[in-house]
Amino acid sequence: MAAGSCLLLLLLLPWLVTASHSPPGCKIRITSKGLDLVKQEGLRFVEQELQNITVSDLHGKEGQFHYNISQVKVMDLQLAFSDLYFQPQQHLVFNVNNASISLRFRRQLLYWFFYDIGSINASADGVHIHTVLQLAKDGAGRLKISNITCNASIARMHAGFSGTLRKVYEFLSTFIITGMRFLLSQQICPSLEHASLVLLNSLLDTVPVRNYVDEHIGIDYSLLRDPTVSTDTLDLDFKGMFFPRARENQELENHAVEPVIKETERMVYVAFSEYFFDSAMHAYFQAGVLAIELQGQKVPKDLDVLLRATFFGTIFMLSPTVDAPLRLVLQVSAPPRCTIKPSGTSVSVSAFLNISLVIPGHSAIQLSSMAMETKLSAKVFLQGKALRVQLDLRRFRIYSKQSALESLALFSLQAPLKTLLQLTIMPIINERTKKGVQIPLPEGMDFTKEVVTNHAGFLTVGADLHFSKGLREVIEKYRPAPTAPAYPSSRPAEPSMDPHQL
C-alpha cells in the first residue's frame, strides 16, 4: 500500500510542479544598465533625504564649563563613492563609501561669568553606509520593499571654532565632536529606512496592478511570485491577463508558451506571450463589443449596388419595395486567437455577416448569412509606456453556411467585402487599439529607443529607460499623509538665550 502511494506521488509530482508555477503573460527584466540609471536618480533622492536629518540637541557639563549644541543642520553631502547593485536572490544593495557631510550648528557656552554664543561649522568624513533592500510581492501582487537592513558609521569628525572662547571650545571639542558623531550616525539609518519603506514604496504604489483599460475591459498586472534577482538582472513575472469589466473575477487559463528573456544589453526588456493578447480579445468578446452594424447611408454605395444586384431576385420575390435600406451585421463568432512567430504576429478571426433588408413597418428580411474567416497582421510597438497594436487585413474568405452552391454565388462579393473591411471596419478597430495599454512601470519612468523582436510564442521589447519626472517630484505627489504621533514630539526645543538656563 505504501509503495502504491509513493508511485502515485511520483506520477503526480510533475503535474504538481507545473501547476504551482503559473506562466506569466507579461515579464519584465531590468538589467544592470537600467540599475545604473536608477542609481543616478536614486542618489539625488538619498542626498535630499539625508539633508533633512534631524539631530537632537547636545548639552553637558565639564567642571565649570556648561555647553549646549542645537539647531544642527546638514549643509552639504558628498556621496561620490556609491554603488547600487543586485544581490541574489531578492535584494538590492546600496553602498556609500568614504562620504562626507558638512554641518552647521549653534553653540552656547558658559564658563564662570563668561558667556559665548555663535555657530560652528563641522564636517563628518569617512562616512560609510551599507544598506540591503529586500524585494517581495505584497498581498495585492505589487512589488514592494519588504525589509531593509542598514549599517552606518563615521570615521572622523572635525569642527572649526571661533570667537572669544575658542580655546575653551578646542578643549571641549573631544566631548562635543564625539557626541555629535554618535548622534549623527544614529540618524542616518532611520532616515534611509523611512525613505525606503515609506517613500519609495509610495512610488511603487503608482505601478498599475489591476486597473481599467477602457469602458469594456481591464487588466491584471499582479505579480505571480517574488522577484528573481541574479547578479546582473531583476526579473518580474506578471499575470498579464485582461478581463471584462462586467465579469471582473473571470479567469482565463494560460496555456501559452512562457516568455524567456535571455538578453541583457538594453536597460529593460518586456516580454508578452500569446496569452497576453488572447486574453484581451477574449475579454472584448465576453464584453460583447466585437460586433458592428451598418445600415442605410453607412453602407458604402458601391457595395450597396453590388449587394442589390446579387440578391435582386430574392428581394423582388419578397417585397416590391426594393429601395428599402440594407442592413449589414458583422459579428465575431469566437474569441480571436493570436499567433506569434519569428516572422511576425497575426490574429485569426472567425465571424459571420448577416445581410438583411429593412422595410419600414415590417420585420427585417434576412437575405443571406455568410461565414467569414480573416487573418490580420499585427504590428506591436511601444510608445512611452503604452503598448499599442496596429492591425492590417491580410487574408479574407467568405462562404455560405447553407450550401456550397451559395458559396460559389458569393464569390463575386469577396473583393468588395474585403474593401469594406479595409476602409470601414479596420479604421474603427485601430482607433480602439490606438490608446494602447500601460506597461507596469512607476510614474515618471518611460521607455525610449524601443526595439520589438518576435520569438516562437512570445515577443520582447528591448528599450532604454528615461525619467520624465524626478523621484522627488513623484514621491511628493503621492507622499502618505502624516499621522499624529502616539508619543510626545521629539523635536528639540529652541535653545535658551539665558546663560543661567544652560
Side-chain angles (χ1 to χ4, degrees), residues 211-217 245 284 381-390 428-439:
N211 63 322
Y212 295 140
V213 176
D214 54 29
E215 65 271 25
H216 304 295
I217 68 170
R245 290 182 59 168
Y284 274 122
F381 59 98
L382 204 59
Q383 188 170 3
K385 272 190 296 192
L387 182 73
R388 300 179 179 179
V389 179
Q390 181 78 23
I428 296 175
I429 295 174
N430 283 322
E431 185 64 27
R432 288 182 178 178
T433 62
K434 183 178 181 180
K435 180 181 177 182
V437 60
Q438 185 179 353
I439 304 303

Side-chain angles (χ1 to χ4, degrees), residues 152-421:
S153 63
I154 299 174
R156 52 197 173 277
M157 196 162 184
H158 305 281
F161 301 100
S162 61
T164 56
L165 300 180
R166 179 173 59 87
K167 293 295 184 181
V168 176
Y169 269 104
E170 289 178 352
F171 171 76
L172 295 173
S173 64
T174 301
F175 304 102
I176 296 174
I177 290 176
T178 300
M180 286 300 302
R181 183 173 67 178
F182 174 78
L183 292 175
L184 181 60
S185 63
Q186 291 298 303
Q187 292 300 317
I188 291 175
C189 282
S191 177
L192 294 181
E193 287 172 2
H194 178 266
S196 301
L197 298 177
V198 178
L199 301 184
L200 288 182
N201 274 337
S202 71
L203 173 69
L204 294 175
D205 282 337
T206 66
V207 177
V209 171
R210 189 176 178 91
N211 63 322
Y212 295 140
V213 176
D214 54 29
E215 65 271 25
H216 304 295
I217 68 170
I219 186 168
D220 188 338
Y221 270 132
S222 58
L223 282 171
L224 295 174
R225 54 193 64 90
D226 289 335
T228 302
V229 179
S230 70
T231 54
D232 300 313
T233 60
L234 167 66
D235 288 342
L236 301 166
D237 289 348
F238 297 93
K239 191 172 186 178
M241 185 199 77
F242 292 82
F243 56 86
R245 290 182 59 168
R247 305 171 184 167
E248 294 196 10
N249 295 324
Q250 178 176 285
E251 292 286 334
L252 182 64
E253 196 169 349
N254 187 353
H255 298 290
V257 174
E258 180 172 348
V260 178
I261 304 176
K262 298 181 179 179
E263 299 87 353
T264 58
E265 291 78 18
R266 306 295 294 274
M267 292 184 181
V268 64
Y269 291 89
V270 189
F272 305 94
S273 75
E274 292 173 344
Y275 172 81
F276 181 86
F277 301 100
D278 283 347
S279 68
M281 294 181 288
H282 188 273
Y284 274 122
F285 180 79
Q286 292 290 320
V289 296
L290 298 184
I292 190 169
E293 179 179 311
L294 302 176
Q295 181 174 321
Q297 297 297 324
K298 293 185 178 181
V299 179
K301 187 64 177 177
D302 293 343
L303 180 61
D304 185 277
V305 172
L306 182 60
L307 289 174
R308 290 178 183 277
T310 303
F311 299 107
F312 183 80
T314 305
I315 296 172
F316 185 78
M317 292 294 292
L318 291 173
S319 173
T321 316
V322 293
D323 288 335
L326 291 178
R327 177 194 294 164
L328 277 63
V329 177
L330 178 62
Q331 184 168 348
V332 173
S333 56
R337 296 299 301 271
C338 173
T339 303
I340 303 176
K341 297 180 180 180
S343 57
T345 303
S346 62
V347 178
S348 300
V349 184
S350 297
F352 60 82
L353 175 65
N354 289 333
I355 303 174
S356 305
L357 187 69
V358 182
I359 302 174
H362 296 79
S363 300
I365 301 171
Q366 182 169 304
L367 303 177
S368 179
S369 178
M370 62 188 76
M372 302 174 58
E373 291 182 357
T374 61
K375 181 165 281 190
L376 311 175
S377 61
K379 179 184 178 183
V380 181
F381 59 98
L382 204 59
Q383 188 170 3
K385 272 190 296 192
L387 182 73
R388 300 179 179 179
V389 179
Q390 181 78 23
L391 297 171
D392 187 33
L393 184 60
R394 207 166 82 190
R395 294 180 188 173
F396 174 78
R397 184 173 76 93
I398 59 172
Y399 59 93
S400 172
K401 295 190 290 184
Q402 279 77 31
S403 67
L405 184 61
E406 187 176 359
S407 295
L408 184 62
L410 295 174
F411 184 76
S412 60
L413 295 176
Q414 185 94 8
L417 285 177
K418 184 177 182 180
T419 302
L420 171 70
L421 289 175

